[in-house]
Amino acid sequence: MRNSKLFRLIIFFSSISFLPILTLSFSAENPTDRRILVLLDDVSLKSSHSIFFNSLQTRGFDLDFKLADDPKLALQRYGQYLYDGLILFAPTAERFGGSLDLAAVLNFVDSGRDVIVAADSNASDLIRNIAAECGADFDEDPSAVVIDHTSYAVSETEGDHTLIASDNLIESEVILGKEKIEAPILFKGIGHSLNPENNLVLKVLSASSTAYSANPNSILSGPPSVSGSAISFVSVLQARNNARVLISGSLDLFSNRLLRAGVQKVGHPNKHEKSGNERFVIEVGKWVFHERGHLKAVNVRHNKVGELDEPAIYRINDDLEYSVEIYEWSGTSWEPYVANDVQVQFYMMSPYVLKTLSTNEKGLYHTSFKVPDVYGVFQFKVEYQRLGYTSLSLSKQIPVRPFRHNEYERFITTAFPYYGASFSTMLGFFIFSIVYLYSK
Amino acid sequence: MAATATAAARMEKASDLIPIFSTKAWKLKTKQQELLIRVSILLLVYILAFMTRLFSVLRYESMIHEFDPYFNYRTTLFLTEKGFYEFWNWFDSESWYPLGRIIGGTLYPGLMVTAAIIYWTLRFLRFAVHIREVCVLTAPFFASNTTLVAYFFGKELWDSGAGLVAAALIAICPGYISRSVAGSYDNEGVAIFALLLTFYLFVKAVNTGSLAWALASAFGYFYMVSAWGGYVFIINLIPLYVMVLLVTGRYSMRLYVAYNCMYILGMLLAMQIRFVGFQHVQSGEHMAAMGVFFLMQVFYFLDWVKHQLNDPKLFHAFLRITVSSAVGLGAIALGVGTASGYISPWTGRFYSLLDPTYAKDHIPIIASVSEHQPTAWSSFMFDFHILLILFPAGLYFCFKRLSDATIFIVMYGLTSMYFAGVMVRLILVATPAVCLISAIAVSATIKNLTQLVRAKPKTSHSGSGKGTTGTKTSSKGSFDQSLPFQRNGAIALLLGAFYLLSRYAIHCTWVTSEAYSSPSIVLAARGAHGNRVIFDDYREAYFWLRQNTPPDAKVMSWWDYGYQITAMGNRTVIVDNNTWNNTHIATVGRAMSSYEDEAYEIMKSLDVDYVLVVFGGVTGYSSDDINKFLWMVRIGGGVFPVIKEPDYLVNGEYRVDKGAAPKMLNCLMYKLSYYRFGELTTEYGRPPGYDRARGVEIGNKDIKLEYLEEAFTTSNWIVRIYKVKPPNNRW
């Protein structure tokens, strides 16, 4: 049970010596058997967003629905987390019940667990702060929504162009699934911009260049605070410990109403029977809860060519072999990860050797190279960061020593004149002494 | 305790010169008596030299002192555990991370091997000693041995009386004790013994012209080379001495044999030390010896030609041609060698010896070391006391009785006194010479005076009767005999001399106990009631590191503490006291003098996990990192020009209070030193945040750390350790 809680720990260690322990917890866990706390503003959300929740439950997640102001709310008890994921569908909650607050949510993320945050127009400060801490700044005007006069969805009822049909999706099969989402995605809510200082947060669904964020019921008094493609509808953050956070400016995005709605983007002749929302939320949900794009590296090994054991120290100019196994979580099992861009560095302040690892397509990555002619404390470093995938950051320290006194060549051909000189001098001195002493 | 023993030794020595009237003693023959007295005096001096160096053990505990000795101790431990070959090939990955250090090839192994041999011998004799005890007592043991060498050297220079005085003087001379108290397990401890031994054996070889003594001298030189980098002094002084003898027309076959044998064999032996290697034939510092060697051959050749030619005119022509061509050849060889890079130029350290201002302008890393500072007049007085006055007197005696040997000691004395003036720590090298020359003065004076005192009662009118027995005092005796009240005067002078010598003994003992017996790793202070307060913060911090950090943690600190962290904390350090890589030290200096965010980048690039700073603001300990900080700025700025010294000064003034420079108030070193210090009241009646080491209220009391967090602060705040935080999880 505890092992399954540990599942969310991803390899982010400077020393791989912990890897065996970690691997154990990986192989034991079953990610579909995970508990997710869903916080709602209103019990009715449970039914109005049932398609999304059902999709999670059918995939094996154990959802625990609570009202956001439930006084018994707690993420952890006795220092152990009770949940592996958190869905915050409570955009208006000014404060949570129980012991849950901003810091608790952030600690939840920093412990490696995943969060989905959905805001809406007039989102509370609490939700805004959670998003801001994850690098997404919602428009500060509480009544502002995103308006786009060129890419809104054609609709009979709404004429203020706030229901936007967007197809500006991030190009990543890992986050959005292999199949391309054809239909535009309906979005109705507030926009956010990404904090430029945060380089971990990504736009998944963003606005077109003609969008802007303003209150549709009032006349614009000045230029909108955020506009154009700087507006993001849905963003994701993959923290350094591989916790994933999804921030959406719209709670409706997940609602049954928009999931079922047909969509016709203005200016486009073809009308889609069904919006892309269902595919989108399900695929992004899979990514957020680590059903996709999760890598693990195990069995990092290195040894001298021709030996099996890992040495404690290398000598300069040794030939060595390095191998690592990388697997990807498919949602049900660990599958070999196949890529041709995994590189290893032999690193001491700067990479002395940079080699692309070759793979046997069964998860094993392997290379061999010669230790450079420099002694010092080196590291085998694999820094594998690809969009959507959990980052692999392996480093293993290994000292490289110079030759021992008896490892040099004993006799050097070029030095034979010197050998000859010294021996002939000795001989000459010997003869000279004899001649000098006894030739009277 | 040691003071009385000193006085006793002096009385014994004096009694050697005053005839003994006890009837018992008459039963022995005079020769035997003298031998007995001499041996017992030497024995007492030998014990005294050892005993007077034990203050630190009695007062604190049997521990290794200061900084460098910790490295020596660590390597000795390794040597005794792993054996010589492992030691020789030791690549240490725990220091100079990530560069590492080849220990075997970058140290002088003499000290460690000596201690290990003593240890193995004791073990073989079934004494279950710990290697630390051996290391602690190595320096006193060798100091005792030095007194023996000083005796023989004095005897060789002057007479056995001077030898005895020299042994007694050097046994307690503070200049030597400063580097050889128990626990001061440093190269100098054995090197001074080796230095004096080499000189003694060489002088002996020159005096006798014996190959055996020259060979012994070469071995002495080998031991010196293996023990200390100061061997360069020998290899320059001896050629200089030979040169002076040649110039003054004192060239002899004895000199030729002594020098050639010593130089060639000494050079070959020295080249066996890995750290020295080919320097002997390739570095500019050793070229003088080689030049003099060739000059000797030219001299010998000329001598032979002169002998063959028997024609002064022809010989003079030949002489001119040979000498000019030899000098020309030598100059060309030197020029070509230097230009082609085969002969390396002089090192910075060597330059700074010849020009005291050189290091200050060009090599801050050398100038920053306190023991490399030019010597203050007071420290001469402190370390030599009356020897300073006796030294010129001794020189006078030496010049009066000029011989090959006295020329040597005069040259040794003068050159080493010059070097002692350039660098504080070279007082150590000058000490044996000063002791020997002073001993000559003391011995000669007292001898003359006692002869006067003794001469009076026997023959009331002619005082020269006994005086003529002395080999060289005959003229003095006859000159004295005309003076009235000479006996009383002599007695008064004798009493004065004894008074001075006893003052010397008292001074030496006082200096030893007060100034030179502090281990500096444990600090002592006087409490409010005069009681002794011990600050054991260093060891507290190092043991905390050892027990609470991961074994592969990297600790960044200023280089002073590197050896101690590796030896006691057993953790990897970025830089240490073996200051071989200036850039690496400058990087640390730069990190310490940058703002926290810039420093964080540097620390990340060096994989630093912990930062250690030494802070004396609470205890008033003045040699802390804030006081060393300007050197970090200078050394950092020497390599990275973004660090500028004026940024940390206000109108050229270094301050930490409200008026300090803004960069100073926000640099990493300031923040780490004074973090949370603003909340602390250190002295009654002072505002919180009052820095007792500098006597000011600090200027930045509200310090927030963003990238580091406090991990450990010792009980007296002397050592503070910070942990480098991992990068922000969500940013």
Side-chain angles (χ1 to χ4, degrees):
Chain A
M1 194 58 204
R2 286 276 70 81
N3 279 342
S4 77
K5 296 281 151 73
L6 278 170
F7 161 70
R8 301 291 305 102
L9 288 173
I10 313 302
I11 310 108
F12 199 80
F13 290 89
S14 57
S15 169
I16 290 307
S17 52
F18 298 112
L19 202 72
I21 309 160
L22 233 134
T23 325
L24 236 156
S25 66
F26 267 118
S27 54
E29 56 70 37
N30 181 3
T32 48
D33 183 20
R34 292 198 298 145
R35 305 183 65 187
I36 295 173
L37 176 66
V38 185
L39 292 187
L40 306 171
D41 261 349
D42 189 340
V43 190
S44 66
L45 284 174
K46 195 173 165 181
S47 52
S48 66
H49 292 63
S50 59
I51 297 176
F52 176 64
F53 292 136
N54 286 339
S55 76
L56 285 174
Q57 275 164 335
T58 51
R59 297 209 306 273
F61 290 97
D62 182 4
L63 301 188
D64 191 358
F65 293 95
K66 292 251 172 76
L67 278 178
D69 51 3
D70 189 332
K72 280 187 232 149
L73 277 184
L75 284 177
Q76 53 179 333
R77 185 183 296 153
Y78 309 129
Q80 299 289 337
Y81 278 101
L82 301 170
Y83 304 99
D84 304 314
L86 177 64
I87 297 176
L88 290 176
F89 278 0
T92 57
E94 282 298 340
R95 51 182 298 277
F96 298 125
S99 64
L100 199 57
D101 57 359
L102 174 65
V105 173
L106 295 177
N107 284 338
F108 189 70
V109 175
D110 290 346
S111 70
R113 291 167 170 80
D114 309 317
V115 177
I116 292 179
V117 185
D120 220 331
S121 54
N122 60 53
S124 68
D125 282 346
L126 176 65
I127 298 296
R128 284 166 187 273
N129 286 340
I130 292 174
E133 286 290 335
C134 296
D137 299 323
F138 282 111
D139 191 343
E140 281 170 20
D141 184 353
S143 51
V145 291
V146 184
I147 305 168
D148 194 334
H149 298 301
T150 60
S151 57
Y152 58 91
V154 179
S155 158
E156 304 84 48
T157 52
E158 292 169 87
D160 54 3
H161 301 171
T162 55
L163 181 65
I164 293 158
S166 171
D167 46 13
N168 289 328
L169 286 166
I170 191 170
E171 284 183 24
S172 167
E173 286 189 359
V174 186
I175 298 175
L176 296 178
K178 288 218 165 41
E179 275 177 66
K180 197 171 183 299
I181 300 171
E182 297 291 343
I185 290 149
L186 291 171
F187 178 88
K188 184 179 173 63
I190 61 172
H192 60 262
S193 59
L194 301 188
N195 191 328
E197 282 177 28
N198 189 329
N199 45 26
L200 297 173
V201 67
L202 299 166
K203 286 179 200 168
V204 175
L205 182 67
S206 50
S208 71
S209 52
T210 53
Y212 64 97
S213 176
N215 184 349
N217 301 323
S218 62
I219 298 163
L220 268 183
S221 53
S225 55
V226 276
S227 63
S229 47
I231 298 176
S232 173
F233 297 143
V234 177
S235 302
V236 292
L237 168 86
Q238 179 168 285
R240 288 184 205 278
N241 63 357
N242 291 332
R244 286 171 179 173
V245 179
L246 181 136
I247 298 148
S248 163
S250 165
L251 180 57
D252 285 345
L253 184 82
F254 300 90
S255 69
N256 293 357
R257 188 170 65 84
L258 291 189
L259 258 59
R260 290 273 174 259
V263 60
Q264 184 185 6
K265 200 173 174 180
V266 69
H268 283 262
N270 48 341
K271 178 175 162 63
H272 295 272
E273 278 304 311
K274 216 174 133 203
S275 69
N277 286 35
E278 182 170 0
R279 284 278 316 283
F280 178 73
V281 297
I282 288 173
E283 294 297 335
V284 170
K286 280 183 181 171
W287 181 82
V288 169
F289 292 121
H290 284 266
E291 287 170 71
R292 198 165 47 223
H294 188 110
L295 300 178
K296 72 164 180 181
V298 291
N299 290 339
V300 182
R301 297 161 58 98
H302 57 86
N303 53 272
K304 271 190 213 170
V305 170
E307 290 178 15
L308 288 175
D309 291 336
E310 194 171 287
I313 191 165
Y314 282 108
R315 197 192 65 192
I316 54 173
N317 296 333
D318 267 349
D319 289 301
L320 63 84
E321 290 173 330
Y322 178 85
S323 69
V324 58
E325 289 172 35
I326 302 178
Y327 296 100
E328 183 183 3
W329 179 251
S330 69
T332 49
S333 63
W334 291 106
E335 301 294 334
Y337 176 69
V338 180
N340 57 5
D341 56 356
V342 185
Q343 290 182 318
V344 64
Q345 302 172 26
F346 200 55
Y347 183 94
M348 182 177 77
M349 299 218 273
S350 61
Y352 278 74
V353 173
L354 179 61
K355 290 274 275 192
T356 304
L357 297 167
S358 54
T359 176
N360 67 352
E361 315 240 319
K362 290 190 180 106
L364 181 73
Y365 287 79
H366 174 269
T367 192
S368 61
F369 56 88
K370 196 189 225 2
V371 176
D373 196 1
V374 179
Y375 59 81
V377 181
F378 281 81
Q379 285 171 325
F380 290 106
K381 267 195 178 191
V382 175
E383 294 284 344
Y384 192 68
Q385 274 134 8
R386 290 294 176 272
L387 180 64
Y389 285 107
T390 54
S391 53
L392 286 183
S393 183
L394 314 173
S395 67
K396 194 166 196 176
Q397 185 174 310
I398 186 86
V400 173
R401 63 169 173 85
F403 286 105
R404 287 173 63 92
H405 70 282
N406 53 3
E407 284 174 338
Y408 292 97
E409 245 178 303
R410 194 69 192 88
F411 293 102
I412 316 169
T413 336
T414 44
F416 269 100
Y418 297 95
Y419 304 146
S422 51
F423 282 106
S424 59
T425 308
M426 279 191 257
L427 189 72
F429 182 72
F430 185 68
I431 293 168
F432 171 79
S433 311
I434 288 177
V435 170
Y436 189 82
L437 289 174
Y438 298 106
S439 68
K440 280 283 147 72
Chain B
M1 187 58 203
T4 46
T6 315
R10 201 151 316 287
M11 292 311 290
E12 289 281 356
K13 179 200 81 253
S15 65
D16 171 41
L17 303 161
I18 302 170
I20 296 159
F21 293 108
S22 78
T23 44
K24 241 186 184 175
W26 280 116
K27 284 175 189 162
L28 290 168
K29 282 183 199 147
T30 326
K31 272 262 166 97
Q32 288 172 325
Q33 256 181 42
E34 206 194 328
L35 188 71
L36 179 68
I37 292 169
R38 213 187 297 156
V39 168
S40 49
I41 290 172
L42 264 182
L43 195 69
L44 284 173
V45 167
Y46 192 88
I47 295 167
L48 167 71
F50 193 84
M51 299 278 272
T52 191
R53 286 164 170 82
L54 296 183
F55 273 109
S56 57
V57 173
L58 299 177
R59 194 159 292 166
Y60 297 91
E61 61 182 79
S62 168
M63 68 197 294
I64 307 286
H65 292 191
E66 298 203 333
F67 304 107
D68 287 17
Y70 271 95
F71 169 76
N72 299 332
Y73 172 58
R74 178 168 164 245
T75 45
T76 313
L77 199 65
F78 187 91
L79 172 62
T80 52
E81 280 170 1
K82 304 266 173 77
F84 185 73
Y85 279 115
E86 284 301 312
F87 172 71
W88 203 24
N89 289 309
W90 184 13
F91 175 71
D92 180 20
S93 56
E94 282 197 4
S95 52
W96 291 93
Y97 180 86
L99 307 170
R101 175 181 174 193
I102 309 171
I103 299 275
T106 56
L107 52 49
Y108 293 100
L111 178 72
M112 298 90 195
V113 173
T114 306
I117 288 173
I118 295 175
Y119 172 73
W120 286 323
T121 313
L122 289 174
R123 281 276 156 151
F124 178 75
L125 297 174
R126 298 297 181 268
F127 287 104
V129 289
H130 189 268
I131 181 67
R132 195 190 64 237
E133 317 296 342
V134 176
C135 292
V136 164
L137 296 177
T138 298
F141 173 61
F142 271 85
S144 293
N145 295 342
T146 308
T147 61
L148 288 189
V149 179
Y151 166 73
F152 286 109
F153 202 175
K155 196 175 161 197
E156 189 66 26
L157 291 171
W158 205 256
D159 54 21
S160 59
L164 287 176
V165 179
L169 289 181
I170 203 165
I172 56 169
C173 184
Y176 184 27
I177 286 184
S178 68
R179 289 304 183 129
S180 62
V181 291
S184 175
Y185 179 55
D186 212 346
N187 291 335
E188 289 93 327
V190 298
I192 291 304
F193 165 76
L195 177 92
L196 206 58
L197 184 69
T198 311
F199 283 153
Y200 162 64
L201 293 170
F202 183 72
V203 167
K204 189 93 183 164
V206 171
N207 278 348
T208 56
S210 142
L211 262 178
W213 287 114
L215 182 68
S217 161
F219 276 101
Y221 177 65
F222 172 60
Y223 186 55
M224 176 70 188
V225 175
S226 76
W228 195 34
Y231 76 90
V232 177
F233 180 62
I234 298 185
I235 204 62
N236 281 296
L237 179 64
I238 287 184
L240 189 68
Y241 164 65
V242 172
M243 196 69 192
V244 166
L245 288 192
L246 292 185
V247 168
T248 52
R250 283 173 167 269
Y251 168 79
S252 64
M253 205 56 207
R254 290 177 286 117
L255 184 68
Y256 182 83
V257 169
Y259 183 72
N260 285 345
C261 176
M262 189 267 167
Y263 174 66
I264 293 294
L265 286 173
M267 177 177 75
L268 289 176
L269 287 168
M271 284 164 83
Q272 309 311 311
I273 305 294
R274 262 180 93 192
F275 194 27
V276 177
F278 283 97
Q279 275 182 44
H280 244 279
V281 285
Q282 286 193 337
S283 106
E285 283 131 42
H286 302 77
M287 281 304 124
M290 190 180 273
V292 167
F293 171 72
F294 286 121
L295 203 64
M296 288 287 274
Q297 312 314 315
V298 172
F299 246 82
Y300 185 77
F301 177 67
L302 286 175
D303 229 32
W304 179 73
V305 170
K306 191 179 179 185
H307 179 71
Q308 295 285 314
L309 280 177
N310 266 334
D311 179 0
K313 233 183 200 170
L314 212 62
F315 176 69
H316 272 287
F318 182 77
L319 181 72
R320 216 170 297 138
I321 294 164
T322 327
V323 167
S324 50
S325 58
V327 168
L329 266 177
I332 288 168
L334 196 67
V336 168
T338 314
S340 64
Y342 182 77
I343 298 172
S344 64
W346 288 350
T347 58
R349 255 167 234 253
F350 201 72
Y351 268 123
S352 57
L353 276 182
L354 301 181
D355 174 8
T357 58
Y358 181 83
K360 209 173 173 185
D361 297 338
H362 296 93
I363 330 166
I365 192 116
I366 290 179
S368 75
V369 182
S370 61
E371 60 186 17
H372 290 166
Q373 302 301 318
T375 317
W377 174 237
S378 58
S379 55
F380 272 115
M381 200 58 212
F382 198 65
D383 280 353
F384 289 141
H385 199 239
I386 57 160
L387 303 189
L388 267 187
I389 309 153
L390 294 175
F391 178 67
L395 285 181
Y396 163 76
F397 281 108
C398 289
F399 275 113
K400 246 186 97 184
R401 203 175 90 182
L402 220 50
S403 67
D404 287 355
T406 49
I407 288 178
F408 181 84
I409 195 67
V410 164
M411 291 195 52
Y412 174 27
L414 291 179
T415 49
S416 64
M417 271 307 250
Y418 170 75
F419 291 131
V422 175
M423 266 191 201
V424 174
R425 76 156 164 177
L426 293 180
I427 281 189
L428 180 72
V429 175
T431 304
V434 171
C435 287
L436 281 164
I437 293 175
S438 305
I440 290 173
V442 171
S443 171
T445 313
I446 291 183
K447 200 163 194 172
N448 288 344
L449 293 175
T450 45
Q451 270 157 3
L452 286 179
V453 173
R454 283 164 63 199
K456 202 71 181 176
K458 290 201 170 165
T459 48
S460 53
H461 286 288
S462 95
S464 62
K466 205 111 190 135
T468 40
T469 51
T471 45
K472 53 119 239 165
T473 44
S474 53
S475 60
K476 204 154 196 114
S478 55
F479 146 76
D480 280 338
Q481 107 194 89
S482 58
L483 285 174
F485 309 118
Q486 59 174 0
R487 185 159 182 267
N488 294 340
I491 289 173
L493 283 175
L494 261 183
L495 287 176
F498 289 137
Y499 174 73
L500 278 181
L501 288 173
S502 54
R503 290 308 304 175
Y504 173 72
I506 291 165
H507 170 83
C508 291
T509 314
W510 175 76
V511 167
T512 310
S513 78
E514 292 299 315
Y516 290 144
S517 292
S518 149
S520 94
I521 188 114
V522 176
L523 308 166
R526 293 272 172 217
H529 308 292
N531 51 328
R532 184 179 286 265
V533 186
I534 297 281
F535 299 133
D536 204 355
D537 286 37
Y538 279 106
R539 292 196 292 179
E540 187 185 347
Y542 298 141
F543 288 127
W544 184 87
L545 276 178
R546 183 187 274 265
Q547 288 163 357
N548 295 282
T549 59
D552 62 345
K554 285 98 190 165
V555 183
M556 181 174 91
S557 70
W558 191 234
W559 59 263
D560 297 24
Y561 317 108
Y563 278 164
Q564 295 179 347
I565 294 172
T566 36
M568 279 189 272
N570 197 18
R571 291 295 174 268
T572 308
V573 293
I574 308 295
V575 291
D576 66 27
N577 309 45
N578 176 259
T579 52
W580 64 276
N581 188 326
N582 191 32
T583 315
H584 220 52
I585 291 179
T587 310
V588 173
R590 183 186 176 183
M592 292 294 192
S593 42
S594 301
Y595 293 126
E596 203 186 341
D597 50 344
E598 295 158 5
Y600 185 69
E601 294 299 316
I602 298 169
M603 292 189 291
K604 277 279 119 190
S605 72
L606 290 172
D607 298 330
V608 174
D609 298 310
Y610 291 89
V611 182
L612 182 146
V613 295
V614 170
F615 173 61
V618 177
T619 50
Y621 172 52
S622 63
S623 57
D624 65 350
D625 278 346
I626 288 286
N627 281 355
K628 289 173 186 170
F629 181 61
L630 271 191
W631 287 113
M632 303 184 202
V633 173
R634 275 177 210 148
I635 292 167
V639 177
F640 305 103
V642 285
I643 304 292
K644 294 183 195 72
E645 192 179 340
D647 291 350
Y648 301 86
L649 303 174
V650 179
N651 300 327
E653 203 185 336
Y654 181 64
R655 46 199 298 189
V656 295
D657 57 356
K658 277 204 165 51
K663 183 136 197 198
M664 178 70 208
L665 291 178
N666 288 295
C667 67
L668 185 70
M669 178 51 78
Y670 191 93
K671 280 178 141 186
L672 297 187
S673 288
Y674 290 121
Y675 181 63
R676 292 200 302 120
F677 184 65
E679 308 156 10
L680 190 76
T681 308
T682 51
E683 224 170 281
Y684 180 73
R686 297 283 188 181
Y690 179 77
D691 183 335
R692 293 178 66 195
R694 282 151 287 272
V696 290
E697 184 184 349
I698 60 166
N700 184 358
K701 289 188 185 175
D702 183 35
I703 292 170
K704 297 262 182 298
L705 290 174
E706 199 180 335
Y707 298 98
L708 295 109
E709 59 191 357
E710 188 178 4
F712 183 67
T713 294
T714 55
S715 43
N716 297 302
W717 289 52
I718 289 179
V719 184
R720 312 196 68 184
I721 300 171
Y722 292 84
K723 188 178 193 310
V724 180
K725 286 190 201 169
N728 192 315
N729 190 31
R730 282 169 279 113
W731 288 85

